Every structure is written in C-alpha cells, then in structure tokens.
C-alpha cells in the first residue's frame, strides 16, 4: 500500500477505515437494489393473493401459508412433483451427457495430435457464434420424422453429442493448462490415451467438469424454449411449462400459489449456486480470458 | 473465442524423444483423435451441419410439415421484407439490442470496478451480484417481473412518488419493452465477472506511476483502465449483443405469450416461433432464421473490424 509515505500513520489508518465503510455502504446499497426482486418474491409468497400486486411492502403484514398448501392440489390434475421429476430427469441427463461427451472431445483437441485438428477446432469455435434458431426448425422436423417429439430425446441428444461448444472450449482450455510432463510420463509408462484420459486428465479437470455440470444443470432447469417446442403432454412437462400452464389456467385468481410455485421452482437453482458458486464464477471468468 | 490469445492449437512442438514417431504411430494418433471426438463429429454432422443445409433449403420452399416442401425461390424473403409484422420485429429487436447491451455492460463494469478493490467479504458480494444471472432466464422470474411492472404494482407506485404516472409498464405498448430491458440489465453477472478478471490483470505499477505523475482517478480510469481492459470489453460487447439478438423467453413470458400488447415486444425470435410453430410456416421461419444469421454475422464482422480502432492488445503495444 502507498500509506508508508504518510507521516502520521494513524490518520492514514483512519482514512482507510472510512474508505472501507464507504465502500461497504455503497456495495450494500447496489446489492439491495439488485436483490430486491428476489426478496420481494420471498415476501410475496407469504402474502394473500389479493395483496401481492397491490401492496408495496416487501414483507407480508400477516404471513399466510395458504399459497404453499395450495400447491399440494397440483395444476389441473398433475402434481407439482411430476413437473419436478421431469425437470430433474432432463437436467440430470443433460449433465451426464455434457460431462462425458465434452470431456472426451476436449481431450482429443487438447492432448492428441491428429490430422485436421486445427480445422475442426475452428469449426467447433465457429458453432459458438451460430444463432441456435437456424437449427431449430430442421431439428424439429428431424425429430418429428423420427417420432421423438414429446420425449426427452430431442432435448438431451445434443448434450450427449458435445454440441455445447462452450463447455468443450472450457475443458480444452483447462486441459491445455495441465503440465505436459504428466501425460508424457504416462505415455512412457505405456498408458494408452484412454487410460491417460481416465486416470490422469479427468481427475485433474475436476474444476472444469464441475463448472460445466452446474451450468448445464441450471440451463436445463431454466430452459423454456426447448420444452415449449418439444413437449406436448402435460404429464411430461418440466417446471417451466408447468408454471406457464398454471398461469394460463388459474390467472390472477390464484396469484399467491403462482408466486409460491415460482419460488419453489427457483430453489434447486439457488441451492446449486450456493453450494458451488466458487467454481462457477471462476469458471465463468476463465472462459473469457486465458 | 476471440480474445483468447489465438493459438488455436499449439503447433506441434518437435519433441526429441517421441517414442512412437513414424507413420504407424501417426496413424494410431489420428485414429485415437477421431475416436475420442466421435461424439462431437456425430453431433456436428447430425445436429449442426445437416440441419444448416436443410434449413437453407427450407428457406426457399413453402413447407407446412404435412405436405412435402415446395420450391418457391426467393418468395419467402420478398414476403418477409414486405411483412409489416416482420419489420416491426426487426425494429423491436434493434431497439432492445441497442438499449439493453450498453446499459448492461455499464452496470457490469461499474460493479466490477467496485468489487475490484480489495475488501473483506468480496467473494460474498461477487456471488450475490451474480445470482440474478442464474435465475433471470427462468419462467419464475418472468412472473416476478410481470408482478413488479404491472398496473398499480411496485414500480407503478414508486414512479408515482416521483410524479410520473404512466401506469404499469406491462400493459403499456410504449413501455413494456423497457421492462424486458430492465430484466436483461438485471442479469449483469456474467459480463461483470469477466470484467473483474480483466481488471485483476492490469499491472498495479501503471497506476502507481500515473499517481506519481499526478493523474486523478478519472484520468487513470480513462488512460489506463479502459485501454487495458479493452480486449475484455470487446469480448463482452460481442457476446452480449449476440445474445440480445436472440432474446425469446422473457418476451414470451413477461409480456404475454403473443409477445406484447400491440406487438410491442415482438422480438425477432418470438415472431419466428409464431410463424414456425404456431402457423406451421417452416419455410418462412427458416428464411427468418437465415436473415438472423446474416445479421449476427454482420454485427460480428463490424465489431471485429472496429476493434483495430479501440482494442489494445498487449502484443501490439510492444
């Protein structure tokens, strides 16, 4: 710090402390504005339906449980649990698919020297900039012809085929950062690529794998357009579609339960985030730099 | 991606003691490489390259899913350019991109500058500021937004305190788009984290030297921070504007499932969805999708071209 040159050390210390207090006050003020909607939904879920829009208070005057107990009835005959199970299945398969296929592909790009590698890598990076919508319609037509619409297959097929270039890229970056000596030593010891991949590279890539897994889980959980296009039967709906159905059927009359379910639907994402935020945020930063 | 110091794949360094050199070894490496990436190759052919060709073909046909596609030449494109709703969707999308992207990046940079200072609890703040980015895409938050911005709700009442009375934003065609803009700005976490990583790489000596020379904080920001993080800024501008072009979920959920009162939030992809999946005009929707690809490619190209003028890479400075 530059305080060394200040003649009287105490005033510098004091100045630093007031600076620190000002910083915290400023940061907390911005944070309060940013997190307002999150706190609002928490409070609103305990308000009676008629108060939710009309009252400006953050917290309910008298908290009620009715919104949550109302959820037990489900939505037009389908239990809330069914939506959650479907979302969990989708997210779980997506995570497995991305972690397996992307790490294999990334290993090839990062550790194997094969003809055409540079070209394929450029193609892979190119898909990052391609708007997804240009693939949407032909993919839909294809899955329709295969009679796979209204199943999870169209939603997760791409995850098992490493089409999420972002994660491949993240893992390639990570694997290139691993010391070269490790896999060269493995090679001298007679390890084939499969062995090197499984016993050396994968364990060392844990942070990149965890980052990809969390992002995939959260993206799948929040995904709206995919299920909207591919799922038709309400019993197969994910949480996002369940929420939309709720809104269309109950409308304003049951606003409280809708807000309560919105909150419940956020719980897995927030829980995941709390548990792994360190990996997540560092992973995010890594993807932009390096 | 771009600011990645482009050494796509390290040029094969000659290693002195390569045990399995020779033609057979090389062939074995090729085989291993292709085997390992076979999922990606299959995915690329089946889910990217194939569909791209198919969609290019559909763009020149009339196709309703039930009867075989019928070749119509440039008809889809000419109808599209004359379609007032298409024009409206272009206008709405451009407005959204142009307003949301800079504001979001400004907030992201502001908070990143705040968090770049070494303070206690930094990690916690960083995490808390990142949270909206994770939940913002969900239908849940779409509902919350509807509730916050509807008539007589929180935002409406707050603005009345300041003497502004426009009613709720959701039902008002002049304002509803800005509730989506607000939702987008709210999710500033991802660019913020990238800014933060960039700020950490600025050498401290530069600031110390500038301070000795008597440069104030504003000057230091303008002459040191901004040029030093310009690659990161470029990356964020590129990524965020491409994302903004493709916004869908919030327009569908927050306004209403027809994308707004009086088409006020009819963003491009929302119209594409309506044409393709509601009206089964797959040919028209494909033509729309390709126009989007061209637009995104143009924006990318312009940004890449412009970076010569304002992005400073360390290598260039040396």
């Amino acid at each position: 710090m530059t305080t060394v040159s200040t003649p009287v050390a105490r005033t510098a210390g004091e100045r630093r402390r007031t600076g620190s207090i000002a910083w915290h006050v400023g940061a907390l003020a911005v944070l309060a504005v940013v997190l307002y909607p999150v706190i609002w939904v928490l409070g609103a879920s305990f308000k009676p339906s008629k108060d939710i829009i009309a009252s400006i208070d953050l917290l309910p005057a008298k908290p009620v449980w009715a919104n949550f107990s109302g959820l037990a009835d489900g939505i037009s005959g389908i239990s809330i649990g069914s939506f959650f199970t479907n979302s969990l299945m989708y997210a779980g398969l997506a995570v497995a698919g991305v972690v397996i296929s992307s790490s294999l592909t990334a290993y090839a790009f990062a550790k194997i020297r094969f003809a055409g590698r540079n070209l394929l890598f450029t193609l892979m990076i190119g898909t990052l900039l391609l708007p997804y919508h240009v693939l949407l319609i032909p993919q839909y037509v294809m899955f329709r012809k295969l009679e796979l619409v209204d199943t999870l297959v169209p939603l997760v097929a791409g995850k098992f085929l490493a089409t999420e270039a972002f994660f491949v890229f993240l893992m390639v970056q990570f694997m290139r950062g691993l010391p070269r000596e490790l896999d060269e030593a493995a090679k001298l010891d007679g390890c084939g690529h499969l062995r090197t991949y499984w016993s050396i590279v994968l364990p060392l890539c844990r942070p990149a794998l965890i980052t990809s897994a969390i992002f995939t889980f959260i993206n799948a959980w929040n995904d709206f357009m995919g299920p909207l296009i591919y799922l038709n039967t309400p019993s197969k709906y994910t949480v996002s579609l369940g929420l939309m159905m709720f809104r269309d059927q109950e409308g304003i009359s049951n606003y409280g339960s809708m807000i309560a379910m919105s909150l419940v639907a956020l719980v897995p994402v927030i829980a995941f985030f709390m548990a792994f935020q360190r990996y997540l945020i560092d992973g995010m930063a890594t993807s932009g730099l390096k | 991606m771009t600011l990645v110091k482009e050494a796509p794949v390290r040029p094969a360094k000659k290693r002195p003691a390569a045990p399995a050199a020779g033609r057979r070894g090389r062939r074995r490496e090729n085989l291993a490489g292709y085997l390992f990436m076979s999922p990606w190759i299959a995915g690329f052919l089946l889910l990217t390259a194939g569909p791209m060709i198919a969609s290019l073909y559909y763009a020149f046909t009339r196709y309703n899913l039930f009867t075989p596609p019928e070749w119509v030449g440039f008809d889809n494109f000419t109808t599209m350019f004359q379609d007032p709703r298409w024009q409206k969707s272009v206008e709405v999308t451009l407005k959204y991109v142009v307003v949301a992207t800079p504001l979001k990046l400004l907030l992201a940079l502001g908070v990143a500058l705040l968090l770049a200072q070494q303070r206690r609890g930094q990690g916690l703040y960083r995490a808390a500021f990142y949270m909206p980015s994770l939940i913002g895409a969900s239908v849940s938050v779409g509902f919350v937004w509807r509730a916050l911005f509807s008539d007589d709700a929180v935002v409406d009442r707050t603005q009345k305190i300041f003497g502004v009375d426009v009613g709720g934003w959701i039902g008002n065609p002049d304002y509803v788009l800005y509730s989506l803009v607000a939702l987008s700005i709210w999710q500033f976490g991802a660019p913020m984290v990238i800014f933060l990583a960039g700020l950490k790489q600025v050498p401290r000596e530069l600031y110390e030297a500038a301070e000795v020379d008597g440069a104030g904080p504003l000057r230091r920001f303008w002459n040191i921070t901004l040029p030093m993080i310009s690659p990161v800024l470029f990356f964020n501008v590129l990524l965020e504007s491409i994302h903004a072009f493709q916004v869908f979920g919030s327009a569908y959920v927050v306004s209403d499932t027809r994308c707004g009162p009086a088409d006020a939030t009819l963003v491009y992809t929302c119209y594409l969805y309506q044409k393709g999946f509601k009206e089964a005009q797959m040919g028209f929707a494909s033509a729309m999708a390709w126009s989007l690809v061209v637009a995104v490619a143009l924006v990318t190209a312009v940004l890449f071209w412009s970076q010569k003028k304002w992005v400073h890479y360390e290598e260039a400075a040396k």
Side-chain angles (χ1 to χ4, degrees), chain A:
Chain A
M1 294 251 109
T2 45
T3 47
V4 197
S5 57
T6 326
V8 190
R10 234 180 60 208
T11 48
E14 271 165 20
R15 202 187 312 147
R16 210 184 314 152
R17 188 171 308 157
T18 44
S20 171
I21 290 170
W23 184 89
H24 281 283
V25 169
L28 282 173
V30 183
L31 196 61
V33 176
V34 168
L35 290 188
Y36 181 87
V38 181
I39 303 162
W40 180 88
V41 68
L42 200 66
S45 66
F46 292 101
K47 289 178 193 165
S49 281
K50 62 176 170 44
D51 284 357
I52 288 178
I53 294 282
S55 107
I56 196 165
D57 304 329
L58 256 191
L59 298 175
K62 216 185 329 150
V64 292
W65 280 100
N67 298 331
F68 290 97
S69 54
L71 289 181
D73 303 338
I75 299 159
S76 31
I78 297 161
S79 81
I80 305 288
S82 151
F83 299 130
F84 274 81
T85 316
N86 295 335
S87 275
L88 273 177
M89 280 250 285
Y90 174 20
L93 284 171
V95 168
V98 164
V99 168
I100 296 167
S101 69
S102 303
S103 65
L104 281 168
T105 307
Y107 180 86
F109 278 131
K111 295 289 179 193
I112 307 179
R113 254 181 245 126
F114 59 92
R117 182 171 68 164
N118 285 341
L119 176 72
L120 291 179
F121 191 74
T122 312
L123 273 180
M124 197 261 312
I125 294 297
T127 61
L128 271 175
L129 297 175
L130 187 73
Y132 166 72
H133 303 87
V134 78
L135 310 174
L136 196 67
I137 285 160
Q139 282 185 4
Y140 179 79
V141 172
M142 180 177 82
F143 285 117
R144 222 179 111 93
K145 284 195 177 135
L146 296 171
E147 296 187 9
L148 289 170
V149 168
D150 211 23
T151 70
L152 280 178
V153 177
L155 298 177
V156 299
K159 322 277 183 201
F160 280 92
L161 297 178
T163 54
E164 309 249 335
F166 177 78
F167 299 122
V168 179
F169 175 72
L170 192 79
M171 291 182 200
V172 170
Q173 293 294 91
F174 202 89
M175 288 180 190
R176 277 195 202 146
L178 299 178
R180 264 193 113 60
E181 292 75 29
L182 278 176
D183 42 295
E184 276 170 15
K187 200 173 198 176
L188 285 176
D189 287 347
C191 281
H193 280 302
L194 208 57
R195 186 74 196 265
T196 313
Y197 161 78
W198 185 255
S199 327
I200 296 174
V201 172
L202 267 200
L204 289 171
C205 279
R206 272 248 302 274
L209 299 181
I210 293 177
T211 305
S212 308
I214 304 161
F215 268 121
T216 307
F217 182 92
I218 289 170
N219 288 346
W221 191 270
N222 285 340
D223 187 15
F224 176 62
M225 198 179 201
L228 178 70
I229 285 169
Y230 284 112
L231 303 178
N232 308 323
T233 316
S235 64
K236 292 177 180 166
Y237 278 7
T238 57
V239 170
S240 326
L241 289 184
L243 271 166
M244 280 310 280
M245 195 163 89
F246 202 8
R247 171 177 127 182
D248 296 342
Q249 316 253 302
E250 309 269 333
I252 300 293
S253 64
N254 204 349
Y255 218 94
S257 289
M258 200 165 87
I259 289 291
M261 180 159 166
S262 298
L263 181 68
V264 175
L266 288 177
V267 168
V269 176
I270 294 178
F272 245 74
F273 172 65
M274 298 268 197
F276 296 109
Q277 52 92 4
R278 193 164 48 90
Y279 288 104
L280 239 165
I281 293 178
D282 290 342
M284 189 70 227
T286 319
S287 68
L289 292 168
K290 244 186 181 175

Side-chain angles (χ1 to χ4, degrees), chain A residues 145, chain B residues 57-58 61-71:
Chain A
K145 284 195 177 135
Chain B
Y57 167 66
Y58 291 152
T61 64
R62 191 172 299 129
Y63 183 34
N64 64 5
L65 283 178
F66 304 103
T67 51
E70 175 198 340
W71 185 266

Side-chain angles (χ1 to χ4, degrees), chain B residues 124-207:
Chain B
L124 264 176
Y125 281 108
R126 200 177 59 157
F129 280 121
Y130 192 77
M131 184 144 78
S133 296
L134 287 178
I135 58 176
S138 64
V139 172
S140 297
V141 170
F143 285 176
V144 172
W145 232 251
R146 253 184 101 78
L148 292 177
F149 284 91
S150 65
D151 207 9
D152 214 27
V154 178
V155 173
D156 187 14
R157 283 165 182 244
T158 314
Q159 64 198 6
K160 269 180 199 149
I161 297 174
F162 295 101
V164 186
D165 192 4
V166 292
W169 292 18
I170 297 294
N172 187 334
D174 292 338
Y175 286 86
V176 61
L177 187 65
Y178 297 102
S179 65
L180 301 188
V181 168
L183 180 52
S184 157
I185 298 171
W186 188 58
Q187 302 170 54
F188 64 95
M192 171 199 78
V193 170
I194 293 173
F195 275 134
L196 206 47
L199 286 170
K200 284 210 175 122
Q201 308 215 321
V202 182
R204 294 205 63 81
E205 303 89 71
L206 289 181
Y207 291 115

Side-chain angles (χ1 to χ4, degrees), chain B residues 232-273:
Chain B
V232 185
L233 183 62
F234 172 72
F235 178 80
N236 273 337
V237 171
L238 183 70
L239 219 61
E240 290 304 327
S241 39
I242 291 178
H243 277 167
F245 267 103
Q246 302 176 42
V247 61
F248 173 76
S250 60
Y252 190 88
V253 176
V254 176
S255 51
D256 61 42
T257 56
R258 288 175 309 281
C259 289
D263 283 348
T265 57
L266 188 73
V267 292
Y268 200 81
T269 55
C270 200
Y271 194 43
L272 193 153
Y273 171 79

